[in-house]
Amino acid sequence: MDIIQIPSVWALAILLVFGALWVAFGWWLGKKNNSLDDFMLAGRNVGFAFATATAMATWITSNTTLVAPQLTYQFGIWGMVGYSMAALGLILFAPLATRIKSLMPNGYTCGDFIRQRYGRFAWYVFLIVSMFYAFGWLVSLGMAGGILLSALSGIDYYIGMSAILLICVLYTLLGGLRAVIATDFIQTIIILLGVLWIAYVCLQDVGLEKIYSSVSHESPELLNLLFPAAIMFLFNNIFFGIGEIFHSNVWWSRAFAFKKDVGKKSFLLSGLLWFPIPIVTGFIALSAPALNIYPPTADMIGPLVAAKLLGEIGAIFVFVVVFSALASSLDSLLAATSDLLTKDIYKGLINKKASKQQLLRVSKITIVSLGIVTWILCLPRVTTLGELLNFTGAFVASTIWPIVFGLYQRRLNGLYAGLAMLIGTSLGLVGYFTIGFYVAALISCLFSLIICLIGIWLKNANFQWENLNESNKKQAGEM
Amino acid sequence: MSLKRWFALVIIAGISHFSCAAEGGERALLPVEQTSSEGYFTLKWDPSISNNNTQLQMSLNRDFRQILQSYPLPSEGKITLSGYATGDYYFRLHNLSPNHQPENIQSHALVKVSHRSLESAIQLFILGILLFAGLVVCIFKFSKSESSI
Amino acid sequence: MSISITWFELLINVALGIAVLAPIVLITLVIIDLKKEQLW
């Protein structure tokens, strides 16, 4: 029953062709980049179509193509529905994107906002949370790349992982956010067509009735709507998704980069269009028993079923789809994390008087360094994909309330915002280790809210929004 | 006992212990016993046994009177199964070739599936709904009154 | 309490329907933006 593997020469050829294509595209788009704003934020003028596609593509990651089937295999119906609820993160971010753009028309990163709104303590905590998440995601993407290649072709895990990182670093380096967004559009179309094709073949070859009957015979709990662990997982995943989007510079940089008035509708539309994707990729996993497929590890279920359904040609196609999904997230994350490191760590802490040209150079060096660090962290293949990423759930969910209150409310001050993130994360991690990964984000979000409410009740920071805009203007002038 | 002889004995004992463990490990499903509160679990064995003639069998009884399910073995030497309801499940590796000696049937592994209580899951679910509703209401109200803030 | 076959089919078919719409919507939007020269 083992997976149909494509010859490693083919796999390498695909990587080479697609890699060369993305890199050349990145180089071509990079020629239009004249300033730091061009490189970091695509000139702050991204239109509705690209804005929607990039939001969608970035949110379709290895998680959606590999972890959604994994969670469906583990948690059944609630696994895939719960996963698709991560779209709520995009939808709820829509009004926030408008608010961000209007409060900080010249802003660069989410770190800028936290520092100016809450001060140093909260900023430090936020940076730790943000960096932990960014590296968790980077490592999970790098590892997914390696796992995919080793599963679908004869290529070694280390070679696959290195190739994907190298390609993404190269085109992000050459083209900045413009390259990231333009490749995102093409990658979204490839991913959607690929996923739909696999789903179509699955319906034709197996059929929903057979899937349903074999699952209810062999793995009845997967269809159970009262599956306890899956019910616990549902809202956890929602808060995890919201936390990921609300805090991450990947999304803030898009809010800054999109044209005025485009942010809200593009995030809304991308959320609505993203909704069904985890269900489409997830339900394929439910056909495993009907196809007599039983995976060695749960994270292998997606590629195993797809390759079995589609044969050798299909294996090549699956390979291209997952490679696109990985690249569309990896590039965004490289660009956004590099912005955060350049603006917040380098300009914020190391060289406060850095010029525009210096920042552009540092930003490029950071992209390369990030690639190298991720590569080193991916070397030991430590844990399954889902577990690694869910570990960060405790971190990101703690930022939801401080960000919402910070954007709209004057009362909450920096001390309580920082404490909310700190205590929320800590208790979320306690939940992760004592109950299970599927409660970490929920617990973290809850306690973060409690601390925020105590803070709002005890003290009034009376923050003036003009401060945010003024220091912004000053900063834009400096740069 | 001379020191030399003592060392020699220790080394021999060590080697024999190691080889016994290796032989036992080759036939056994690991872990011998595990509990799962989510209905999914992983069983491992020596990958060299994975062939078309051997399959993984599941039964509700230790003596495997009735085989409820048989699974083909992935070549990686491990399998992840999911969707099991609460109960005790016995697994063994079974060689199907006709000339195979029955005494070579491998030892079994026990998986105890005990799902978390539905009550606590629903409590968490309600908590999640309330927290989520709170967030939606907050964002909606905040963004409506945005201009006035 | 298991999901019934009817609801299961409905869930998957609705998801597939929206997923089919997604690439069509995205490509149409890009063509419109391209014509209006509003891509960037």
Side-chain angles (χ1 to χ4, degrees), chain A residues 61-72 74-75 79 83 132-133 136-137 139-141 143-144 147 233 236-237 240 244 297-301 381-394 396 432 436-441, chain B residues 40:
Chain A
T61 63
S62 60
N63 313 1
T64 336
T65 49
L66 291 176
V67 183
Q70 171 188 344
L71 289 170
T72 310
Q74 291 171 324
F75 291 126
Y83 206 97
F132 193 90
Y133 167 76
W137 199 10
V139 171
S140 110
L141 286 170
M143 274 171 45
I147 292 168
F233 162 81
N236 186 69
N237 199 56
F240 188 13
E244 278 182 281
T297 49
D299 58 4
M300 288 299 299
I301 191 72
R381 190 182 154 178
V382 277
T383 170
T384 66
L385 290 173
E387 272 171 317
L388 184 73
L389 213 69
N390 274 299
F391 191 78
T392 60
V396 300
Y432 179 97
F437 77 80
Y438 37 79
V439 294
Chain B
Y40 61 83

Side-chain angles (χ1 to χ4, degrees), chain A residues 235 239 401 442 446 449, chain B residues 123-137:
Chain A
F235 273 101
F239 286 111
W401 289 104
L442 184 63
L446 176 71
L449 170 65
Chain B
Q123 280 166 0
L124 269 177
F125 184 86
I126 292 170
L127 184 72
I129 274 199
L130 291 176
L131 201 53
F132 180 72
L135 183 67
V136 173
V137 168

Side-chain angles (χ1 to χ4, degrees), chain B residues 86-145:
Chain B
T86 294
D88 289 357
Y89 302 91
Y90 292 89
F91 290 87
R92 70 175 181 189
L93 293 172
H94 186 69
N95 195 313
L96 297 171
S97 57
N99 52 1
H100 205 82
Q101 299 299 312
E103 63 269 20
N104 276 356
I105 289 171
Q106 280 82 34
S107 59
H108 65 258
L110 171 62
V111 179
K112 292 181 171 183
V113 177
S114 170
H115 281 278
R116 295 183 185 282
S117 86
L118 187 59
E119 210 170 284
S120 60
I122 288 175
Q123 280 166 0
L124 269 177
F125 184 86
I126 292 170
L127 184 72
I129 274 199
L130 291 176
L131 201 53
F132 180 72
L135 183 67
V136 173
V137 168
C138 265
I139 292 178
F140 189 73
K141 281 191 92 173
F142 282 154
S143 58
K144 268 202 117 179
S145 56

Side-chain angles (χ1 to χ4, degrees), chain A residues 12-331:
Chain A
L12 282 173
I14 294 169
L15 277 181
L16 213 66
V17 170
F18 274 85
L21 207 72
W22 302 145
V23 173
F25 202 36
W27 169 78
W28 180 67
L29 288 161
K31 288 201 296 187
K32 292 176 190 164
N33 288 340
N34 297 316
S35 65
L36 189 68
D37 274 22
D38 279 342
F39 186 76
M40 275 190 175
L41 299 169
R44 296 186 193 267
N45 209 24
V46 179
F48 183 43
F50 273 179
T52 310
T54 189
M56 219 184 137
T58 307
W59 209 215
I60 299 178
T61 63
S62 60
N63 313 1
T64 336
T65 49
L66 291 176
V67 183
Q70 171 188 344
L71 289 170
T72 310
Y73 188 72
Q74 291 171 324
F75 291 126
I77 293 292
W78 280 130
M80 64 185 189
V81 172
Y83 206 97
S84 79
M85 294 289 178
L88 292 170
L90 285 175
I91 293 168
L92 289 181
F93 193 67
L96 267 63
T98 311
R99 178 75 175 161
I100 290 166
K101 186 97 178 172
S102 74
L103 280 180
M104 304 176 77
N106 301 311
Y108 279 87
T109 66
C110 51
D112 277 346
F113 168 76
I114 298 285
R115 190 180 65 249
Q116 287 163 27
R117 170 68 181 83
Y118 286 132
R120 296 242 150 198
F121 169 63
W123 181 53
Y124 290 141
V125 180
F126 180 79
L127 280 183
I128 294 169
V129 168
S130 222
M131 287 301 151
F132 193 90
Y133 167 76
F135 277 101
W137 199 10
L138 275 171
V139 171
S140 110
L141 286 170
M143 274 171 45
I147 292 168
L148 153 84
L149 279 183
S150 67
L152 292 175
S153 69
I155 290 180
D156 189 61
Y157 165 79
Y158 300 100
I159 297 175
M161 182 266 288
S162 313
I164 281 180
L165 274 172
L166 181 72
I167 292 164
C168 289
V169 166
L170 272 178
Y171 76 76
T172 310
L173 190 66
L174 288 168
L177 190 63
R178 229 184 267 275
V180 169
I181 289 176
T183 48
D184 272 0
F185 173 73
I186 303 170
Q187 287 154 353
T188 317
I189 302 296
I190 295 176
I191 296 162
L192 288 172
L193 294 181
V195 162
L196 283 170
W197 186 40
I198 298 167
Y200 172 76
V201 175
C202 188
L203 286 183
Q204 289 298 308
D205 288 8
V206 192
L208 284 178
E209 250 171 74
K210 194 173 169 198
I211 292 175
Y212 184 89
S213 65
S214 60
V215 172
S216 58
H217 171 66
E218 282 189 33
S219 305
E221 282 295 303
L222 298 185
L223 297 174
N224 185 2
L225 294 175
L226 298 175
F227 182 168
I231 291 175
M232 290 175 169
F233 162 81
L234 185 73
F235 273 101
N236 186 69
N237 199 56
I238 293 175
F239 286 111
F240 188 13
I242 295 173
E244 278 182 281
I245 293 186
F246 278 24
H247 95 285
S248 172
N249 197 46
V250 168
W251 306 98
W252 280 67
S253 67
R254 278 162 175 71
F256 292 128
F258 295 170
K259 233 176 235 164
K260 199 171 175 281
D261 302 328
V262 157
K264 193 173 191 171
K265 45 183 188 173
S266 63
F267 275 107
L268 265 178
L269 181 63
S270 60
L272 291 174
L273 294 180
W274 191 90
F275 239 119
I277 309 299
I279 297 179
V280 174
T281 55
F283 101 91
I284 296 167
L286 292 178
S287 66
L291 292 164
N292 209 23
I293 291 175
Y294 303 95
T297 49
D299 58 4
M300 288 299 299
I301 191 72
L304 276 170
V305 174
K308 171 112 178 185
L309 279 171
L310 304 175
E312 196 167 280
I313 302 287
I316 294 172
F317 212 78
V318 172
F319 186 90
V320 174
V321 167
V322 187
F323 172 56
S324 302
L326 286 163
S328 68
S329 304
L330 197 53
D331 58 6

Side-chain angles (χ1 to χ4, degrees), chain A residues 397-398 400-402 405 412 420-421 424 443-456, chain B residues 130-131 134-135 138:
Chain A
S398 74
I400 297 173
W401 289 104
F405 285 132
L412 185 63
M421 291 188 267
I443 291 175
S444 164
C445 182
L446 176 71
F447 283 95
S448 160
L449 170 65
I450 292 171
I451 308 286
C452 285
L453 291 177
I454 293 173
I456 288 170
Chain B
L130 291 176
L131 201 53
L135 183 67
C138 265

